Amino acid sequence: MAKIIENLAQIQVNIDQAKERSNYGQPVQIIAVTKEVDVARTAEAIDAGLLHLGENRPEGLLVKREAIQQFANWHYIGSLQTRKVKQVINEIDYLHSLDRLSLAEEIEKRAQHVVKCFVQVNVSGEESKHGLTAEETIDFLHSLANMTKIEVVGLMTMAPYSDNKELIRSVFRNLKKLQQEVVALKLPYAPCTELSMGMSNDYEIAVEEGATFVRIGTALVG
Ligand SMILES: *Cc1c(COP(=O)(O)O)cnc(C)c1O
């Protein structure tokens, strides 16, 4: 396995170059997706300066939270079953997979602090993917009006797994458009300034299209 610090240096160069090609001049935060690696490798990521970590299962998140004492921001990036909310919601800083009212209601009931959430959007409409359609997203946001524990900081999507770069780009571009529509609503609980998009294979395209959080596993810690 390559040293994380070396992977990170290369990824950072790629991100900086992609930012120069972007029209948005946005800050970009790397989330190190540690779901496939153990506690030691996760600690190595933190030592390399990666202070945003992503997990997609309650078990993995809780084991690492318990074992790792250093400060980090924990992101839950997987689909979250309603009955698992109480286990994880007070252990995380960001949730990237808010995709239904029943989940929002359970968060409202269990969270002891305001949770920064991304609404997950299935831009590509692939059946295998979680998330709301673009059309459903605005109505869903309005339905969160009375929730006190949810702040919608942004939108999240996953591009199709494909070699077709223009297809991937169109997905990210559509999420950016939707984000701008949400921002224009000026909902106090949904500033929606962030875009969580881009993984090992497509983070440069995502940054070019306005990503502010990229979620990188394999290329960084794998
Ligand atoms: C696994 C995962 C990632 C990271 O994927 P890589 O291809 O390993 O970079 C990003 N986002 C989500 C939602 C994931 O499940």
Side-chain angles (χ1 to χ4, degrees):
M1 271 192 292
K3 281 220 163 75
I4 292 174
I5 204 146
E6 288 165 11
N7 294 341
L8 176 58
Q10 184 59 58
I11 289 168
Q12 195 62 65
V13 168
N14 296 343
I15 288 176
D16 289 345
Q17 290 174 350
K19 266 164 75 169
E20 284 174 25
R21 297 189 295 270
S22 155
N23 292 324
Y24 303 107
Q26 78 278 22
V28 178
Q29 182 65 60
I30 297 172
I31 301 169
V33 175
T34 48
K35 66 186 188 196
E36 308 273 14
V37 302
D38 63 11
V39 167
R41 189 78 170 157
T42 304
E44 198 189 319
I46 297 175
D47 291 340
L50 289 157
L51 297 183
H52 290 261
L53 304 175
E55 288 285 330
N56 74 339
R57 305 188 73 89
E59 298 72 25
L61 174 85
L62 295 174
V63 165
K64 283 167 183 150
R65 276 294 258 150
E66 169 108 20
I68 292 174
Q69 299 302 320
Q70 293 108 300
F71 171 82
N73 297 281
W74 294 88
H75 296 251
Y76 194 88
I77 62 171
S79 73
L80 181 56
Q81 291 176 299
T82 307
R83 64 189 174 85
K84 299 270 173 90
V85 166
K86 63 175 180 295
Q87 280 175 261
V88 302
I89 204 67
N90 292 306
E91 303 293 330
I92 62 176
D93 300 292
Y94 293 85
L95 175 71
H96 289 244
S97 52
L98 181 57
D99 63 356
R100 58 193 189 279
L101 194 56
S102 58
L103 180 58
E105 285 167 343
E106 184 68 7
I107 293 169
E108 183 67 12
K109 198 157 110 191
R110 303 289 183 179
Q112 288 155 8
H113 61 93
V114 176
V115 185
K116 298 188 193 89
C117 295
F118 290 84
V119 171
Q120 184 167 353
V121 185
N122 182 359
V123 178
S124 61
E126 285 172 284
E127 276 194 28
S128 60
K129 288 209 156 63
H130 290 274
L132 297 164
T133 65
E135 295 73 41
E136 291 165 338
T137 300
I138 303 276
D139 280 348
F140 177 68
L141 285 169
H142 285 299
S143 75
L144 301 177
N146 294 322
M147 310 247 169
T148 59
K149 298 289 174 35
I150 292 176
E151 180 185 16
V152 179
V153 296
L155 303 179
M156 178 275 208
T157 201
M158 291 172 81
Y161 193 78
S162 163
D163 291 332
N164 183 340
K165 290 204 161 47
E166 288 317 305
L167 174 66
I168 293 170
R169 185 179 300 283
S170 73
V171 166
F172 293 153
R173 195 166 282 180
N174 283 332
L175 194 70
K176 177 70 196 178
K177 265 194 224 149
L178 184 59
Q179 181 219 0
Q180 289 168 325
E181 286 175 38
V182 175
V183 168
L185 297 174
K186 293 194 176 3
L187 302 172
Y189 53 91
C192 206
T193 50
E194 311 302 322
L195 275 184
S196 169
M197 59 189 195
M199 316 189 346
S200 291
N201 289 322
D202 55 21
Y203 67 89
E204 291 166 273
I205 305 173
V207 170
E208 287 170 8
E209 298 301 330
T212 63
F213 285 87
V214 291
R215 311 177 307 268
I216 307 183
T218 325
L220 183 55
V221 299

